[in-house]
Amino acid sequence: MKRNPRKLKWTKAFRKSAGKEMIVDTTLTFAARRNIPVRYNRDHIETTLKAMERISEIRAKRERAFYKKRMAGNKERQREADRKLVAENEHLLPRQRASERMALEEMDEERMTVQVSQEKSKQKLKQRLLVGGGVEDMDVD
């Protein structure tokens, strides 16, 4: 039974057409077969083997970068899906006691105060030299 290779998810054709693999890359051209007999030359073989190793390193690095770029938004998407799932099935979760809820709210308030204090410490301070000598601090927004 003949099938369209772009519709079978395990084929290279599908992966390339779906944007899951690199299509245009100069390192991919080196993998093409060349059926031209070449006279044996030790130096030529040595340089070829070194080049093959280097090309495989470059290809691996580019594939990692491609994958990271492709997967960049997945964390946020997954987090949103998880939140939606929890919101839809909230009735299945155990109910919190009032004391536990209060403790969580206090912890959140403490986190907020710590974040505010860290932001204030990160603010840039500019110093201005005075004519009579000395330094004056200025807040920069």
Side-chain angles (χ1 to χ4, degrees):
M1 175 187 210
K2 291 184 179 179
R3 296 189 179 183
N4 187 347
R6 285 178 304 227
K7 293 184 180 179
L8 297 173
K9 295 193 180 227
W10 54 268
T11 61
K12 285 283 201 182
F14 171 82
R15 293 187 61 78
K16 286 182 180 178
S17 66
K20 296 183 180 293
E21 273 191 25
M22 293 187 301
I23 299 171
V24 180
D25 192 24
T26 55
T27 59
L28 297 174
T29 59
F30 290 111
R33 281 191 164 192
R34 292 169 186 82
N35 294 325
I36 303 168
V38 179
R39 191 170 188 183
Y40 177 77
N41 182 352
R42 186 180 180 125
D43 296 331
H44 183 66
I45 299 296
E46 185 179 335
T47 56
T48 304
L49 291 174
K50 285 181 184 176
M52 287 169 60
E53 290 175 11
R54 180 72 179 131
I55 289 167
S56 65
E57 290 172 7
I58 292 169
R59 183 182 297 139
K61 183 178 175 184
R62 288 180 182 175
E63 284 175 354
R64 275 195 306 273
F66 180 79
Y67 180 79
K68 282 185 179 180
K69 185 177 178 185
R70 195 165 62 88
M71 295 293 156
N74 273 5
K75 275 188 182 174
E76 291 82 21
R77 237 179 274 127
Q78 186 62 41
R79 192 168 287 139
E80 285 299 318
D82 293 344
R83 284 190 181 131
K84 183 180 176 186
L85 182 69
V86 169
E88 288 174 355
N89 301 311
E90 196 170 359
H91 62 281
L92 298 174
L93 296 174
R95 296 193 182 267
Q96 282 186 337
R97 294 185 190 134
S99 58
E100 293 174 347
R101 205 174 309 137
M102 294 285 284
L104 283 175
E105 289 174 3
E106 289 175 7
M107 289 176 56
D108 287 340
E109 289 175 8
E110 289 175 10
R111 284 188 198 151
M112 292 299 289
T113 56
V114 169
Q115 287 177 352
V116 168
S117 63
Q118 287 176 350
E119 288 175 7
K120 285 184 179 178
S121 66
K122 288 182 181 179
Q123 282 182 347
K124 296 180 182 176
L125 291 176
K126 228 179 189 182
Q127 294 182 340
R128 182 172 70 180
L129 291 174
L130 299 174
V131 176
V135 180
E136 181 183 354
D137 291 332
M138 298 171 28
D139 287 332
V140 178
D141 292 328

Short mmCIF file of all heavy atoms in Angstrom, two decimals, residues 46-72:
data_model
loop_
_atom_site.label_atom_id
_atom_site.label_comp_id
_atom_site.label_asym_id
_atom_site.label_seq_id
_atom_site.Cartn_x
_atom_site.Cartn_y
_atom_site.Cartn_z
N GLU A 46 43.03 12.12 6.14
CA GLU A 46 43.17 12.67 7.48
C GLU A 46 42.40 13.99 7.61
O GLU A 46 41.66 14.20 8.58
CB GLU A 46 44.66 12.91 7.78
CG GLU A 46 44.93 13.37 9.19
CD GLU A 46 46.42 13.55 9.44
OE1 GLU A 46 47.23 12.91 8.76
OE2 GLU A 46 46.75 14.35 10.33
N THR A 47 42.56 14.88 6.64
CA THR A 47 41.83 16.15 6.69
C THR A 47 40.32 15.93 6.56
O THR A 47 39.53 16.63 7.19
CB THR A 47 42.30 17.11 5.58
OG1 THR A 47 42.18 16.46 4.32
CG2 THR A 47 43.73 17.54 5.80
N THR A 48 39.94 14.92 5.77
CA THR A 48 38.51 14.62 5.62
C THR A 48 37.91 14.15 6.94
O THR A 48 36.81 14.57 7.31
CB THR A 48 38.31 13.54 4.54
OG1 THR A 48 38.90 13.98 3.33
CG2 THR A 48 36.85 13.25 4.31
N LEU A 49 38.61 13.28 7.65
CA LEU A 49 38.11 12.79 8.93
C LEU A 49 37.99 13.91 9.96
O LEU A 49 37.03 13.98 10.72
CB LEU A 49 39.00 11.67 9.45
CG LEU A 49 38.95 10.36 8.67
CD1 LEU A 49 39.97 9.37 9.19
CD2 LEU A 49 37.55 9.77 8.72
N LYS A 50 38.98 14.81 9.98
CA LYS A 50 38.91 15.95 10.90
C LYS A 50 37.73 16.84 10.55
O LYS A 50 37.01 17.33 11.43
CB LYS A 50 40.20 16.77 10.84
CG LYS A 50 41.37 16.11 11.54
CD LYS A 50 42.60 17.00 11.46
CE LYS A 50 43.81 16.31 12.07
NZ LYS A 50 45.02 17.12 11.92
N ALA A 51 37.53 17.05 9.25
CA ALA A 51 36.42 17.89 8.81
C ALA A 51 35.08 17.25 9.17
O ALA A 51 34.14 17.94 9.56
CB ALA A 51 36.51 18.13 7.30
N MET A 52 34.99 15.93 9.05
CA MET A 52 33.75 15.23 9.39
C MET A 52 33.41 15.41 10.87
O MET A 52 32.26 15.66 11.22
CB MET A 52 33.87 13.74 9.05
CG MET A 52 33.83 13.45 7.57
SD MET A 52 34.29 11.76 7.16
CE MET A 52 33.07 10.82 8.01
N GLU A 53 34.42 15.31 11.73
CA GLU A 53 34.18 15.51 13.17
C GLU A 53 33.70 16.93 13.44
O GLU A 53 32.75 17.15 14.19
CB GLU A 53 35.46 15.22 13.96
CG GLU A 53 35.86 13.78 13.99
CD GLU A 53 37.19 13.56 14.69
OE1 GLU A 53 37.70 14.51 15.34
OE2 GLU A 53 37.72 12.46 14.58
N ARG A 54 34.38 17.89 12.82
CA ARG A 54 34.02 19.30 13.04
C ARG A 54 32.61 19.60 12.53
O ARG A 54 31.83 20.30 13.18
CB ARG A 54 35.05 20.19 12.32
CG ARG A 54 34.80 21.65 12.46
CD ARG A 54 35.10 22.12 13.86
NE ARG A 54 34.87 23.55 13.93
CZ ARG A 54 34.16 24.15 14.87
NH1 ARG A 54 33.63 23.44 15.83
NH2 ARG A 54 33.98 25.44 14.86
N ILE A 55 32.27 19.04 11.37
CA ILE A 55 30.93 19.25 10.80
C ILE A 55 29.87 18.65 11.70
O ILE A 55 28.81 19.25 11.92
CB ILE A 55 30.86 18.67 9.37
CG1 ILE A 55 31.70 19.52 8.43
CG2 ILE A 55 29.43 18.58 8.88
CD1 ILE A 55 31.96 18.88 7.10
N SER A 56 30.15 17.47 12.26
CA SER A 56 29.16 16.86 13.16
C SER A 56 28.98 17.69 14.42
O SER A 56 27.86 17.82 14.94
CB SER A 56 29.55 15.43 13.50
OG SER A 56 30.76 15.42 14.24
N GLU A 57 30.05 18.31 14.93
CA GLU A 57 29.93 19.20 16.09
C GLU A 57 29.07 20.41 15.76
O GLU A 57 28.19 20.79 16.53
CB GLU A 57 31.31 19.68 16.54
CG GLU A 57 32.18 18.61 17.17
CD GLU A 57 33.60 19.11 17.41
OE1 GLU A 57 33.87 20.32 17.22
OE2 GLU A 57 34.44 18.29 17.80
N ILE A 58 29.33 21.01 14.61
CA ILE A 58 28.58 22.19 14.18
C ILE A 58 27.10 21.84 14.01
O ILE A 58 26.22 22.58 14.44
CB ILE A 58 29.17 22.78 12.89
CG1 ILE A 58 30.55 23.36 13.17
CG2 ILE A 58 28.26 23.84 12.30
CD1 ILE A 58 31.33 23.73 11.92
N ARG A 59 26.84 20.70 13.37
CA ARG A 59 25.45 20.28 13.14
C ARG A 59 24.73 20.06 14.47
O ARG A 59 23.59 20.49 14.65
CB ARG A 59 25.40 19.01 12.31
CG ARG A 59 23.97 18.59 12.01
CD ARG A 59 23.88 17.30 11.23
NE ARG A 59 24.49 17.45 9.92
CZ ARG A 59 25.25 16.53 9.35
NH1 ARG A 59 25.47 15.39 9.96
NH2 ARG A 59 25.77 16.71 8.17
N ALA A 60 25.41 19.40 15.42
CA ALA A 60 24.79 19.15 16.72
C ALA A 60 24.47 20.46 17.44
O ALA A 60 23.40 20.62 18.02
CB ALA A 60 25.71 18.29 17.58
N LYS A 61 25.38 21.41 17.36
CA LYS A 61 25.17 22.71 18.01
C LYS A 61 23.99 23.44 17.38
O LYS A 61 23.13 24.00 18.08
CB LYS A 61 26.44 23.55 17.86
CG LYS A 61 26.40 24.88 18.54
CD LYS A 61 27.72 25.60 18.37
CE LYS A 61 27.66 27.00 18.93
NZ LYS A 61 28.89 27.75 18.70
N ARG A 62 23.91 23.41 16.05
CA ARG A 62 22.80 24.08 15.36
C ARG A 62 21.48 23.39 15.64
O ARG A 62 20.44 24.04 15.78
CB ARG A 62 23.07 24.12 13.86
CG ARG A 62 24.15 25.10 13.49
CD ARG A 62 24.39 25.12 12.02
NE ARG A 62 25.48 26.03 11.68
CZ ARG A 62 25.96 26.17 10.46
NH1 ARG A 62 25.47 25.47 9.46
NH2 ARG A 62 26.96 27.01 10.24
N GLU A 63 21.49 22.05 15.73
CA GLU A 63 20.26 21.33 16.03
C GLU A 63 19.76 21.64 17.43
O GLU A 63 18.56 21.79 17.65
CB GLU A 63 20.47 19.82 15.86
CG GLU A 63 20.50 19.39 14.42
CD GLU A 63 20.83 17.91 14.25
OE1 GLU A 63 21.15 17.24 15.26
OE2 GLU A 63 20.77 17.43 13.11
N ARG A 64 20.69 21.77 18.39
CA ARG A 64 20.29 22.14 19.76
C ARG A 64 19.65 23.53 19.78
O ARG A 64 18.62 23.74 20.41
CB ARG A 64 21.51 22.12 20.68
CG ARG A 64 21.83 20.77 21.26
CD ARG A 64 22.79 20.88 22.42
NE ARG A 64 24.01 21.59 22.12
CZ ARG A 64 25.11 21.07 21.61
NH1 ARG A 64 25.14 19.77 21.35
NH2 ARG A 64 26.18 21.80 21.38
N ALA A 65 20.27 24.47 19.05
CA ALA A 65 19.72 25.83 19.00
C ALA A 65 18.35 25.84 18.33
O ALA A 65 17.42 26.52 18.79
CB ALA A 65 20.67 26.75 18.25
N PHE A 66 18.20 25.06 17.26
CA PHE A 66 16.92 24.95 16.56
C PHE A 66 15.85 24.39 17.49
O PHE A 66 14.73 24.90 17.54
CB PHE A 66 17.10 24.06 15.32
CG PHE A 66 15.86 23.88 14.50
CD1 PHE A 66 15.44 24.86 13.63
CD2 PHE A 66 15.11 22.72 14.60
CE1 PHE A 66 14.29 24.69 12.87
CE2 PHE A 66 13.97 22.54 13.85
CZ PHE A 66 13.56 23.53 12.98
N TYR A 67 16.20 23.35 18.24
CA TYR A 67 15.26 22.72 19.15
C TYR A 67 14.84 23.68 20.26
O TYR A 67 13.66 23.79 20.58
CB TYR A 67 15.89 21.46 19.76
CG TYR A 67 14.98 20.73 20.71
CD1 TYR A 67 13.98 19.90 20.26
CD2 TYR A 67 15.13 20.90 22.09
CE1 TYR A 67 13.15 19.24 21.13
CE2 TYR A 67 14.29 20.24 22.97
CZ TYR A 67 13.31 19.41 22.48
OH TYR A 67 12.47 18.76 23.36
N LYS A 68 15.81 24.39 20.83
CA LYS A 68 15.49 25.34 21.89
C LYS A 68 14.57 26.44 21.39
O LYS A 68 13.63 26.84 22.08
CB LYS A 68 16.77 25.97 22.45
CG LYS A 68 17.51 25.07 23.40
CD LYS A 68 18.69 25.78 24.00
CE LYS A 68 19.41 24.89 24.98
NZ LYS A 68 20.57 25.57 25.58
N LYS A 69 14.83 26.91 20.19
CA LYS A 69 13.99 27.96 19.62
C LYS A 69 12.58 27.44 19.37
O LYS A 69 11.59 28.13 19.60
CB LYS A 69 14.61 28.46 18.32
CG LYS A 69 13.89 29.63 17.70
CD LYS A 69 14.59 30.10 16.46
CE LYS A 69 13.85 31.24 15.81
NZ LYS A 69 14.46 31.63 14.54
N ARG A 70 12.48 26.19 18.92
CA ARG A 70 11.18 25.60 18.62
C ARG A 70 10.38 25.34 19.89
O ARG A 70 9.16 25.48 19.92
CB ARG A 70 11.40 24.29 17.86
CG ARG A 70 10.19 23.73 17.18
CD ARG A 70 10.55 22.66 16.19
NE ARG A 70 11.17 21.50 16.76
CZ ARG A 70 10.52 20.44 17.24
NH1 ARG A 70 9.22 20.42 17.23
NH2 ARG A 70 11.17 19.42 17.72
N MET A 71 11.07 25.01 20.98
CA MET A 71 10.40 24.68 22.23
C MET A 71 10.29 25.87 23.18
O MET A 71 9.92 25.71 24.34
CB MET A 71 11.18 23.56 22.96
CG MET A 71 11.19 22.27 22.22
SD MET A 71 9.54 21.60 22.16
CE MET A 71 9.63 20.56 20.76
N ALA A 72 10.59 27.07 22.71
CA ALA A 72 10.66 28.24 23.58
C ALA A 72 9.36 28.51 24.33
O ALA A 72 9.37 28.79 25.52
CB ALA A 72 11.06 29.46 22.77
#
